[in-house]
């Protein structure tokens, strides 16, 4: 259930300007939003509207020019680079359009890599539980090139979840998949939100993909211009001006 009201990620008046002087670009302007625990949010908007910048600011990959970002109650805009990289390693999961698995490692080794990098032992049974949930238990002994795109993305989702993060960020996670594999990935993200009370924030261009989320943030020119609850593909398409 999406019962929690405690925000996992909170943006307060976030602005981001790239460059200076005449070449300055305001990618985000005064964005405030609380992403609640156990919620699934899609971020949409035209190319150049600031979607990637919003994700990167929320994930501590880019520092905002103004405003603040908190993750799990901690203001991350005050952290040093070392503290930020520790936070990303322990409390934030990422899923990328291009999967970004290491080709020389098996699926299981890819999933366990964040723990090895953090010098943490897996919680007993945790990896088995994740790969079972993702339906890839029989496949994780293989290397990425021996897996389908959908299987590789399921490995990547397990890797994002293995350290028990506060929040998982996904940038076009179905962008490289066929429609059927894409639906399976969205079903998996939906279940991790519902069953594990995980928080997922996903950028997508596709109304049918965004319709799996609990709400959609629409960005235009660096600002949140609309928030749609319980979205349907039709309502999203209308909101984007697609008829
Ligand atoms: P979206 O993901 O919605 O396409 P972005 O967040 O990538 O939008 O970009 C928002 C605006 O910021 C665009 O005008 C883009 O050109 C600009 N921008 C993004 N990244 C940089 C950067 N590293 N340096 C300069 N301008 C950037
Ligand atoms: Mg982008």
């Amino acid at each position: 259930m999406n019962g929690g009201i405690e925000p996992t990620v909170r943006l307060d008046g976030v602005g981001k300007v790239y460059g200076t002087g005449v070449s300055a670009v305001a990618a985000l302007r005064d964005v405030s939003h609380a992403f609640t625990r156990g919620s699934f949010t899609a971020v949409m908007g035209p190319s150049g509207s600031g979607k990637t910048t919003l994700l990167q600011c929320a994930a501590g990959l880019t520092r905002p020019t103004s405003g603040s970002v908190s993750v799990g109650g901690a203001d991350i805009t005050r952290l040093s680079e070392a503290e930020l990289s520790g936070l990303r390693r322990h409390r934030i999961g990422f899923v990328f359009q291009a999967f970004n698995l290491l080709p020389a490692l098996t699926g299981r080794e890819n999933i366990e890599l964040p723990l090895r990098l953090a010098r943490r032992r897996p919680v007993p049974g945790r990896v088995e539980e994740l790969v079972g949930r993702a339906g890839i238990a029989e496949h994780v002994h293989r290397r990425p090139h021996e897996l389908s795109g959908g299987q590789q993305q399921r490995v990547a989702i397990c890797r994002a979840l293995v350290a028990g993060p506060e929040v998982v960020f996904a940038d076009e996670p179905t962008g490289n998949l066929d429609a059927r594999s894409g639906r399976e990935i969205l079903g998996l993200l939906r279940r991790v939100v519902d069953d594990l009370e995980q928080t997922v924030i996903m950028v997508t261009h596709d109304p049918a993909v965004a319709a799996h989320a609990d709400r959609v943030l629409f960005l235009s020119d660096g600002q949140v211009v609309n928030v749609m609850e319980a979205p349907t593909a039709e309502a999203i398409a209308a909101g984007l001006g697609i008829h």
Side-chain angles (χ1 to χ4, degrees):
M1 291 302 296
N2 316 310
I5 49 160
E6 180 190 351
T8 298
V9 177
R10 186 184 185 104
L11 279 64
D12 280 302
V14 169
K16 176 69 183 182
V17 178
Y18 292 108
T20 54
V22 289
S23 62
V25 174
L28 293 178
R29 304 161 193 260
D30 195 25
V31 170
S32 297
H33 189 77
F35 297 88
T36 50
R37 183 176 307 282
S39 68
F40 187 178
T41 305
V43 179
M44 303 192 79
S47 181
S49 59
K51 302 181 297 294
T52 295
T53 303
L54 185 150
L55 213 65
Q56 291 186 347
C57 286
L61 288 165
T62 298
R63 281 184 194 276
T65 317
S66 53
S68 66
V69 176
S70 69
V71 174
D75 182 351
I76 68 168
T77 44
R78 292 159 178 268
L79 301 180
S80 68
E81 284 308 317
E83 289 168 331
L84 262 184
S85 83
L87 175 118
R88 287 196 300 266
R89 188 169 284 170
H90 292 280
R91 301 181 74 174
I92 290 175
F94 288 97
V95 178
F96 302 93
Q97 179 171 349
F99 322 136
N100 294 15
L101 301 177
L102 292 184
L105 302 184
T106 66
R108 175 180 296 277
E109 288 165 345
N110 269 284
I111 292 167
E112 291 174 345
L113 187 63
L115 298 174
R116 294 201 5 232
L117 292 174
R119 298 201 173 82
R120 283 167 60 184
R121 281 176 202 282
V123 174
R126 172 87 180 159
V127 173
E128 275 60 39
E129 199 230 312
L130 286 174
V131 301
R133 194 175 277 284
I136 49 171
E138 312 86 79
H139 305 296
V140 286
H141 63 284
R142 302 206 181 107
R143 291 175 207 269
H145 73 272
E146 300 167 319
L147 299 170
S148 70
Q151 289 167 341
Q152 289 184 60
Q153 194 61 302
R154 286 188 262 170
V155 169
I157 290 170
C158 292
R159 178 182 60 182
L161 291 168
V162 75
E166 202 84 40
V167 53
V168 173
F169 293 96
D171 201 347
E172 297 275 1
T174 62
N176 280 6
L177 299 176
D178 60 63
R180 185 178 156 195
S181 304
R183 279 196 299 278
E184 286 171 6
I185 290 304
L186 288 159
L188 175 58
L189 288 173
R190 185 70 258 177
R191 289 198 302 279
V192 303
V193 168
D194 293 342
D195 300 350
L196 305 180
E197 288 224 9
Q198 188 52 255
T199 307
V200 175
I201 304 173
M202 168 182 77
V203 169
T204 181
H205 287 100
D206 185 342
V209 169
H212 289 77
D214 299 314
R215 67 184 55 78
V216 182
L217 287 194
F218 291 94
L219 290 187
S220 176
D221 203 15
Q223 292 186 300
V224 177
V225 292
N226 191 11
V227 181
M228 185 181 288
E229 301 288 334
T232 63
E234 293 73 22
I236 294 165
L240 292 170
I242 303 166
H243 301 288

